[in-house]
Amino acid sequence: MFANKVVLITGASSGIGAETALDFSRLDAKLVLTGRNKENLDKVSKQCQEYSPSNLKPLVVVADMNVESDVENIVKKTIDEFKQLDVLVNNAGILESGTIENTSLAQYDRVMNTNVRGPYHLTMLATPHLVKTQGNIVNVSSVTGLRSFPNVLAYCMSKSALDQFTRCVALELAPKNVRVNAVNPGVITTGLHMKSSMNEQEYEMFIKKCADSHALGRAGDAKEVSSVILFLASDAASNITGVTMPVDGGRHAMCPR
Ligand code: NDP
């Protein structure tokens, strides 16, 4: 389904991004994997090559989404190597907890720059190439973009901005036949939460609480998100653009009662 398609995935060094890379390689996509952790990227790349029916080796580009020259380099290296870009998956993101009373401006800037400014910049640079191929974009947002939660203020704002970005760019690029969609995961068992402020015990409690906080009674796993990213990136979704699709065990539909 993705043979001869060039797919660029940010945050491919772990979690949802890594799983998405493996899924695309099973379908023989030509991959560009980016993130900051070269060791992890190389591990994912090696696994992708093993999964690829044509034994395709992904292009690894080490890049910090907050460094403009790094972001420029991602697109340059992609085009130098493959001469085209068909699918952009804006997945890289960070989570920081905090309320209006205790979130510093430095935290706010980190979250907004990584989760919004980075994807904005990369999408800007990728768009001319996606227009050429009639390609598409999948953004990895969150249920926190669709609904409001206390104590993750900057993160909620960043994902809400990414959702509006998804819809606006979808309208802007629809006349050029470039589709733009998002997935909005609920709690997914990746390293994201431990990397923010949770210790092991807090994380265990948080995952247990998913029995109540998610209608399906559990957290999700990365595979359940990557499969939806692949669907939205595929021709099976050829009439879908501008959606922010919850992949959250029904969490977005819940209200306290
Ligand atoms: P991980 O922490 O496993 O993955 C995050 C990825 O983003 C890593 O590959 C990391 O790469 C990359 N990244 C972070 N900051 C930067 C940066 N400055 N420059 C380049 N890459 C960066 O978590 P997930 O897989 O869970 O997260 C993936 C996406 O899913 C995020 O956007 C997150 O907000 C979203 N999401 C996750 C949920 C969950 O419960 N897990 C729920 C809802 C949404 P490296 O460390 O190599 O730089």
Side-chain angles (χ1 to χ4, degrees):
M1 197 194 294
F2 290 100
N4 292 317
K5 302 277 186 201
V6 179
V7 180
L8 163 49
I9 304 168
T10 68
S13 50
S14 65
I16 293 167
E19 201 63 51
T20 303
L22 297 178
D23 275 1
F24 272 115
S25 43
R26 285 189 187 95
L27 299 175
D28 230 14
K30 296 176 180 169
L31 288 177
V32 185
L33 310 180
T34 85
R36 291 164 303 179
N37 186 323
K38 181 165 184 337
E39 200 184 324
N40 282 355
L41 284 170
D42 285 342
K43 265 190 223 154
V44 175
S45 168
K46 194 164 168 257
Q47 239 182 322
C48 284
Q49 193 174 359
E50 283 162 18
Y51 288 174
S52 163
S54 304
N55 198 35
L56 297 173
K57 187 175 162 46
L59 171 67
V60 167
V61 185
V62 177
D64 184 335
M65 290 303 293
N66 295 321
V67 176
E68 287 183 18
S69 54
D70 281 12
V71 176
E72 285 160 11
N73 194 41
I74 299 172
V75 177
K76 186 183 177 310
K77 285 252 168 74
T78 301
I79 300 304
D80 283 354
E81 173 87 8
F82 295 117
K83 318 285 176 231
Q84 71 185 66
L85 176 64
D86 297 277
V87 177
L88 168 62
V89 181
N90 281 313
N91 164 74
I94 53 165
L95 167 65
E96 296 206 22
S97 305
T99 69
I100 191 62
E101 293 180 296
N102 58 24
T103 306
S104 68
L105 283 179
Q107 285 182 302
Y108 173 91
D109 284 345
R110 262 201 307 273
V111 171
M112 293 302 276
N113 284 342
T114 310
N115 295 1
V116 185
R117 194 176 190 274
Y120 185 100
H121 187 201
L122 183 58
T123 304
M124 256 171 78
L125 300 176
T127 291
H129 303 287
L130 293 169
V131 168
K132 273 189 210 152
T133 55
Q134 310 266 285
N136 71 81
I137 301 170
V138 182
N139 296 319
V140 181
S141 180
S142 166
V143 66
T144 61
L146 302 170
R147 296 290 177 265
S148 310
F149 300 88
N151 202 34
V152 269
L153 177 59
Y155 186 72
C156 278
M157 289 172 69
S158 74
K159 293 303 189 180
S160 191
L162 194 61
D163 286 351
Q164 191 68 293
F165 177 71
T166 300
R167 289 185 291 265
C168 291
V169 180
L171 296 183
E172 289 166 0
L173 298 184
K176 300 187 170 174
N177 206 25
V178 173
R179 300 182 298 104
V180 186
N181 293 297
V183 290
N184 295 61
V187 173
I188 307 296
T189 50
T190 65
L192 184 80
H193 301 94
M194 298 277 276
K195 279 183 207 163
S196 63
S197 52
M198 283 186 203
N199 63 34
E200 234 168 273
Q201 218 176 356
E202 285 167 336
Y203 185 63
E204 207 177 297
M205 289 294 294
F206 179 69
I207 294 297
K208 259 197 198 146
K209 226 179 113 197
C210 291
D212 298 323
S213 62
H214 292 60
L216 289 180
R218 62 175 177 85
D221 65 32
K223 183 94 191 64
E224 293 175 302
V225 182
S226 63
S227 58
V228 181
I229 294 173
L230 264 81
F231 162 67
L232 289 172
S234 76
D235 287 345
S238 56
N239 199 26
I240 299 179
T241 197
V243 300
T244 48
M245 185 177 287
V247 186
D248 65 350
R251 188 173 195 182
H252 70 281
M254 295 172 75
C255 293
R257 67 192 304 243

